């Protein structure tokens, strides 16, 4: 019972001692980016690591917590920043908290029912609270890796299928050196 009470992690590398990270490369991100032509061109050039998440999931009791340490590399596909695939929780009521450790990021939050969207900064020493019933995606808007810690209920689960089927209503694009939230529907010919 007490074997996973203490974990050592490195906020620079995004690694947790003893936890194998799940890695996502550009080839794993098909359908996530607005500009499909830019995606195909970038993938033809290389298949870089976009992000990795190492998780500690000690138990699944009703009051238990899991946590993951994420690391997103800097870069863009077209004008869109490197990002996570994004997800909802299978147990929709589950909230999550993200703590910025290093780098510069943004979190895209979208209410599942209304589609209302908001982009919030995820910076060192800042926390972003993700309410239940909220689709969320993390993006690196800086020039160095973004590292963050996410804490969520053990029974939350991850629903990636819903995002893969419909994606987010909004996209975060680089415009004049800064991130701008844009409605995907307005980007018919790509950014």
């Amino acid at each position: 019972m007490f074997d996973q009470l203490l974990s050592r992690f490195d906020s620079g590398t995004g690694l947790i001692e003893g936890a194998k990270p799940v890695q996502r490369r550009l080839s794993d991100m098909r359908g996530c980016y607005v500009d499909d032509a830019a995606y195909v061109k970038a993938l033809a050039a290389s298949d870089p690591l976009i992000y990795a998440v190492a998780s500690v999931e000690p138990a699944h009791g009703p009051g238990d917590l899991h946590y993951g340490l994420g690391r997103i590399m800097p870069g863009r596909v077209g004008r869109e920043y490197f990002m996570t695939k994004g997800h909802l929780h299978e147990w929709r009521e589950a909230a999550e908290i993200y703590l910025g450790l290093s780098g510069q990021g943004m979190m895209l939050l979208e209410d599942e029912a209304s589609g209302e969207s908001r982009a919030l900064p995820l910076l060192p020493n800042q926390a972003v609270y993700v309410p239940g019933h909220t689709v969320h995606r993390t993006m690196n808007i800086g020039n160095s890796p973004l590292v963050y810690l996410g804490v969520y209920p053990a029974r939350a689960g991850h629903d990636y299928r819903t995002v893969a089927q419909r994606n987010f209503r909004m996209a975060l694009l680089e415009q004049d050196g800064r991130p701008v939230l844009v409605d995907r529907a307005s980007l018919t010919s790509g950014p």
Side-chain angles (χ1 to χ4, degrees):
M1 173 179 168
F2 295 117
D3 60 335
Q4 291 185 315
L5 292 182
L6 178 66
S7 298
R8 299 180 69 79
F9 66 88
D10 184 323
S11 62
T13 64
L15 296 175
I16 300 173
E17 194 174 280
K20 184 177 179 186
V22 172
Q23 296 185 340
R24 298 285 182 244
R25 298 187 125 2
L26 185 59
S27 58
D28 299 313
M29 304 294 289
R30 183 169 302 282
C32 293
Y33 292 96
V34 172
D35 188 343
D36 194 54
Y39 173 81
V40 169
K41 182 178 178 183
L43 188 56
S46 68
D47 191 17
L49 176 68
I50 303 295
Y51 71 96
V53 178
S55 298
V56 174
E57 300 178 342
H60 291 84
D64 290 324
L65 297 173
H66 289 176
Y67 61 93
L69 194 62
R71 183 174 192 237
I72 305 174
M73 304 310 292
R76 291 195 313 261
V77 171
R79 292 178 30 223
E80 205 166 3
Y81 302 96
F82 280 7
M83 65 176 104
T84 62
K85 286 185 168 191
H87 66 276
L88 280 157
H89 292 139
E90 290 175 357
W91 177 42
R92 295 294 201 255
E93 291 81 10
E96 187 167 2
I97 187 132
Y98 282 70
L99 305 170
L101 300 176
S102 62
Q104 294 181 313
M106 296 284 290
M107 289 200 64
L108 180 56
L109 307 179
E110 181 177 298
D111 182 87
E112 182 179 23
S114 70
E116 179 184 349
S117 299
R118 176 171 295 181
L120 299 172
L122 181 62
L123 302 170
N125 306 312
Q126 285 188 335
V128 173
Y129 179 80
V130 179
H133 299 278
T134 303
V135 190
H136 46 291
R137 170 177 277 164
T138 312
M139 291 149 284
N140 183 341
I141 63 166
N143 296 318
S144 62
L146 169 67
V147 180
Y148 58 90
L149 179 72
V151 182
Y152 49 95
R155 69 179 269 209
H158 294 87
D159 175 1
Y160 296 100
R161 289 179 314 278
T162 300
V163 175
Q165 290 169 353
R166 65 175 177 97
N167 215 325
F168 283 71
R169 189 174 65 80
M170 305 294 280
L172 196 69
L173 305 178
E174 185 277 328
Q175 184 174 315
D176 299 325
R178 62 184 189 82
V180 176
L181 200 55
V182 178
D183 190 322
R184 282 179 177 269
S186 71
L187 301 169
T188 55
S189 62

